[in-house]
Amino acid sequence: MERGHVTTPFGRRPMSFGMLASQMASRDIEPDKSVDKWKLYRALCEARPLLGVTDRALAVLNALLSFYPKNELSEEGGLIVFPSNAQLSLRAHGMAEQTIRRHLAVLVAAGLLIRKDSPNGKRYAHKGRGGEISEAFGFSLAPLLARADEIEELAARVIAERIHLQRLRERITLCRRDITKLVEAAIEDDPAAGWMAVLTHLQELVVGLSRIATADQLESRLEELEMLRDEITNRLEMRIRSRKTSGNAGQNERHIQNSKPDSISELELSFEPKQGATAEQERGPHLPTDMIAPAVGGREPPERAAREDIKPFPLGLVLQACPQIADYVPTGIRSFRDLMTAAVVVRKMLGVSPSAYEEASSILGPENAATIMACILERGGHITSAGGYLRDLTRRAKRGEFAIGPMLMAQLRANGPLRRAG
């Protein structure tokens, strides 16, 4: 457009100070300045949130740029394009002409285009005898050339902020994963140590985080998660150190006891039973069978020993890992008695024989047998024979090869807060 000349819109469209400012800025284009139009368009797409234009408006701008004959925008090549709305519609993938007019107005208001309207509002060009364009009426691309540096700076700012947000979300994801895995290990080691409160707090932190959170919100949440992770790590380190200390004391005590071979009863007490261990494993590998004092009325059955040593997991943990079991008690599950009642209903529904369930109850205890039935219910679509599966788990538990903890933790990851936090 001519320097020093102001153009006003045709018809009822009003003139605004924004339009005037765009025209004034377009007069300050440096001589011989040029920019690749498609590179500039990509920068526009990146800077779109800061420019206040929609993706549909940018699609119309893309169609306009396609009518510019050269790849380099410059004053030498002329900066006015004059396609009709029908031609724009074809290159804008069939966008309706009314929609095109609306988005053209958005581009003008954003200071990315300048209207240079003809006396009758049509878009056309006057050509000289040699075919060169002497004057054109349409849309001037001069604001794009004048604001090229600004647009590229805005695009770089948007890209940098997006990368920053990505890094923050990555760190939050890693922190959440660390917390989840550490709590999972802690619950499996000692489910009664109050770790469910940590899971509840983690869930609150995760649920409160929006998908469109700002960098400040993400940084604040990351700080809270890192503090929680540090607290968990400190608690676990203290537990490990205390166990090392008690382990050394236990070794010293066993060494003193071993120095008294006649004190067999003290030697028996030095072996701690493990969860799911059989009676022979509990007595320890160093004692022959004939040296162990039998229980009153004869030797204690291995099934009874195993049942007494496997402690049930907290009911709240079981219900979070296996929520479906609650549907089989009309009044809800408020105690292990309710859980066992629901397990009987599920046993019948899944076709598990009474003998298989009774054997599991005798080996693992009624609470743990009900917990296993709840886990089987959750995995019903993956288990062909629930009765055979239960018998196999019972045999493995009898041999000391099965523990409920890993099974429950797997379900907790699938259905409980561990999944929502992960």
Side-chain angles (χ1 to χ4, degrees):
M1 59 187 299
E2 296 87 347
R3 294 183 180 273
H5 178 70
V6 175
T7 178
T8 57
F10 170 78
R12 296 181 179 180
R13 289 191 295 266
M15 184 66 177
S16 67
F17 279 102
M19 294 179 185
L20 183 60
S22 296
Q23 294 184 33
M24 293 176 61
S26 299
R27 299 174 189 168
D28 299 330
I29 299 176
E30 299 176 3
D32 301 328
K33 182 178 181 179
S34 64
V35 62
D36 186 294
K37 64 179 182 180
W38 298 122
K39 181 180 178 181
L40 181 61
Y41 178 75
R42 287 191 293 271
L44 276 169
C45 292
E46 293 286 358
R48 180 177 65 84
L50 300 181
L51 292 172
V53 294
T54 64
D55 53 348
R56 300 292 298 278
L58 287 179
V60 174
L61 181 60
N62 179 282
L64 274 177
L65 288 173
S66 69
F67 285 98
Y68 189 78
K70 299 180 181 180
N71 282 333
E72 294 287 328
L73 288 177
S74 65
E75 285 191 306
E76 183 180 354
L79 292 171
I80 295 178
V81 290
F82 42 90
S84 65
N85 286 342
Q87 291 174 314
L88 276 176
S89 177
L90 291 176
R91 297 200 186 183
H93 308 290
M95 187 181 296
E97 293 186 19
Q98 184 177 0
T99 305
I100 286 178
R101 285 194 291 270
R102 185 170 68 251
H103 290 307
L104 285 172
V106 170
L107 292 171
V108 172
L112 300 177
L113 292 178
I114 294 176
R115 291 182 183 272
K116 185 181 179 184
D117 288 342
S118 64
N120 61 2
K122 302 294 182 181
R123 300 170 200 154
Y124 55 87
H126 294 302
K127 296 185 179 180
R129 292 183 178 180
E132 71 280 0
I133 296 177
S134 59
E135 187 174 13
F137 298 97
F139 291 98
S140 172
L141 303 176
L144 295 179
L145 184 60
R147 299 179 62 185
D149 295 337
E150 175 195 351
I151 292 170
E152 291 178 356
E153 181 181 348
L154 292 176
R157 188 191 308 174
V158 170
I159 292 173
E161 185 172 352
R162 183 172 65 244
I163 293 175
H164 180 53
L165 288 174
Q166 289 176 350
R167 298 294 181 268
L168 285 175
R169 291 189 179 276
E170 287 176 357
R171 292 175 61 188
I172 288 175
T173 299
L174 291 174
C175 194
R176 286 163 56 183
R177 186 182 71 189
D178 293 342
I179 294 172
T180 299
K181 299 291 185 180
L182 289 172
V183 171
E184 176 186 344
I187 290 177
E188 187 171 351
D189 179 72
D190 186 5
W195 291 105
M196 293 306 301
V198 179
L199 283 183
T200 302
H201 183 46
L202 174 61
Q203 184 180 358
E204 292 173 354
L205 291 178
V206 173
V207 171
L209 189 61
S210 171
R211 293 183 178 273
I212 55 174
T214 63
D216 291 339
Q217 292 172 330
L218 291 176
E219 288 174 355
S220 176
R221 193 54 48 86
L222 176 62
E223 183 178 356
E224 294 181 67
L225 289 171
E226 287 179 340
M227 291 175 60
L228 180 59
R229 181 179 60 185
D230 293 342
E231 179 182 353
I232 294 171
T233 304
N234 290 336
R235 288 179 60 182
L236 294 178
E237 288 178 352
M238 290 175 61
R239 179 184 297 183
I240 292 173
R241 286 196 294 266
S242 64
R243 287 187 175 179
K244 286 182 178 179
T245 304
S246 61
N248 293 334
Q251 290 177 2
N252 295 334
E253 183 180 358
R254 287 193 294 271
H255 178 72
I256 296 172
Q257 291 167 350
N258 290 339
S259 65
K260 300 178 181 179
D262 295 334
S263 181
I264 298 177
S265 60
E266 292 181 356
L267 181 61
E268 291 177 0
L269 294 176
S270 67
F271 291 95
E272 287 188 5
K274 298 181 180 179
Q275 186 185 41
T278 61
E280 292 182 1
Q281 289 172 328
E282 292 168 11
R283 289 164 183 158
H286 302 292
L287 291 179
T289 307
D290 56 356
M291 292 178 62
I292 300 175
V296 177
R299 179 173 297 173
E300 184 180 41
E303 293 85 353
R304 180 180 174 187
R307 183 183 69 243
E308 292 178 352
D309 289 332
I310 302 179
K311 297 180 181 179
F313 284 81
L315 182 61
L317 179 64
V318 175
L319 294 179
Q320 284 193 345
C322 308
Q324 294 185 40
I325 193 72
D327 298 335
Y328 295 88
V329 178
T331 58
I333 296 179
R334 292 169 292 183
S335 64
F336 270 108
R337 183 179 297 276
D338 296 333
L339 180 65
M340 289 184 281
T341 301
V344 172
V345 178
V346 172
R347 174 192 69 75
K348 296 177 181 178
M349 183 188 71
L350 297 180
V352 177
S353 64
S355 60
Y357 188 70
E358 289 175 4
E359 183 182 7
S361 298
S362 66
I363 297 297
L364 297 161
E367 296 90 350
N368 289 322
T371 299
I372 293 177
M373 287 305 306
C375 292
I376 292 176
L377 176 63
E378 294 290 335
R379 293 178 50 84
H382 304 279
I383 298 175
T384 306
S385 173
Y389 185 65
L390 180 61
R391 286 189 183 276
D392 179 64
L393 294 182
T394 303
R395 286 193 296 267
R396 290 168 56 192
K398 192 174 180 179
R399 298 193 300 266
E401 299 173 354
F402 168 71
I404 301 176
M407 171 185 282
L408 202 59
M409 289 304 105
Q411 288 304 132
L412 192 64
R413 283 193 297 268
N415 296 328
L418 291 179
R419 178 185 181 184
R420 294 188 290 270

